[in-house]
Amino acid sequence: MTVRTRVLILASAVAVLAAVGLASVLHASARADRRNHTQAGGPRVAPGTVTLTEHGRMVFRNMAWGPHRDEVTTVPASDPSGPRTASGVKCLRFYAASGTGVCLQAVHGPVSDTYRALILDAHLRTRARYAVPGIPSRARVSPSGHFAAWTAFVGGDSYAGTNFSTRAAIVDVRTGRLIPTLEQFRIIKDGRPYRAADVNFWGVTFAADDRTFYATLATKGQTYLVRGDLRTSTLTTLRPNVECPSLSPDGTRIAFKKRVQGLPKDAPWRLYVLDLRTLRETPTAEPRSIDDQAVWKDTRTLVYSLPGDYGADLYEIPSDGTGAPRRISTAALSPAFVD
């Protein structure tokens, strides 16, 4: 093969790669542009006033294509598929309770994105900002509205495998005191102090006493439900194989996702409910893998997300193992129910 032939082959290969790259960029650009236009047949969304104190509302991240995509949006809790009112505040993850909201946002830079947590008041005005060290994953506010928590991936981007690292933070929104990582807490495992370099925490959920919380601890390839104490800065393991806990409004049960043997590695979970007094588990009637931190709509009903045409849809199911899953809202994520 002559030098000229080799040069021609190389030039042809470069041209093909350039064409493929250009086509990919144009396709991504066209898809991004489509997301800015309202999709026919999608939910109706209009700008308006959104507050975190209007009773009987569901507040969530709107995923529908159009000018209000990713905005904090509200609908009547009794009509979750009805017309939506959009706030103009964009979040990747969101939660609210007692007039306090937490909004996890991406800050788009010229080279890469950074992330932050906004503490919002009842009118979605920013009270404080905190840097988030990775891709936002979970968010919660205590029932009193006095504490907020968030989880971020700082290595990897999925809970399904083992090659990931998370950082869970808690902030007292009254004082601004930030606990940047639960790794600062003392761990009591099986009744003894525990230390390990591989500990990860995620999925904080708060009790009503402004002291107790629950979360997931992962170490040595196993996950555990831990009970945290904000006054003593301790975390105590309660039960293995519990992820993304969500405490019921009456404080008696925890909804969680459980890894079940025999399921695919990329979809290994089922949605369960744990009675904290008896430690008895009840599987819900949802047969699909749930990679979410479920929300209690009330003391009897769980709401959670599953992949949908526009990113995610919301479903509900009874917490006692009866019934069947029911889709309540399309193109929606990160719901919070304002009582």
Side-chain angles (χ1 to χ4, degrees), residues 149 151 168 170 182 200-206 212-218 223-228 235-239 242-246 254 293:
T151 305
I170 296 177
L182 292 183
N200 276 309
F201 298 97
W202 66 87
V204 172
T205 184
F206 293 98
T212 307
F213 66 93
Y214 299 86
T216 300
L217 160 68
T223 60
Y224 301 87
L225 174 67
V226 293
R227 181 178 61 239
L235 291 158
T236 304
T237 60
L238 299 179
R239 189 175 185 85
V242 172
E243 299 183 52
C244 295
S246 181
I254 281 181
Q293 186 175 17

Side-chain angles (χ1 to χ4, degrees), residues 132-220:
V132 174
I135 301 172
S137 172
R138 309 292 182 214
R140 278 296 189 269
V141 176
S142 65
S144 66
H146 293 162
F147 291 90
W150 55 85
T151 305
F153 286 110
V154 295
D157 60 0
S158 172
Y159 293 107
T162 58
N163 187 26
F164 68 88
S165 178
T166 57
R167 191 79 49 80
I170 296 177
V171 65
D172 186 330
V173 304
R174 299 163 298 179
T175 65
R177 176 177 174 265
L178 175 68
I179 302 167
T181 172
L182 292 183
E183 294 169 28
Q184 297 177 352
F185 279 40
R186 185 166 61 98
I187 302 170
I188 306 298
K189 181 176 178 289
D190 300 325
R192 298 179 180 180
Y194 180 80
R195 286 180 174 271
D198 72 339
V199 294
N200 276 309
F201 298 97
W202 66 87
V204 172
T205 184
F206 293 98
D209 61 4
D210 277 351
R211 174 175 181 172
T212 307
F213 66 93
Y214 299 86
T216 300
L217 160 68
T219 183
K220 310 300 183 187

Side-chain angles (χ1 to χ4, degrees), residues 205 246-255 296 298-299:
T205 184
S246 181
L247 187 64
S248 63
D250 59 11
T252 64
R253 290 155 294 154
I254 281 181
W296 292 81
D298 50 43
T299 58

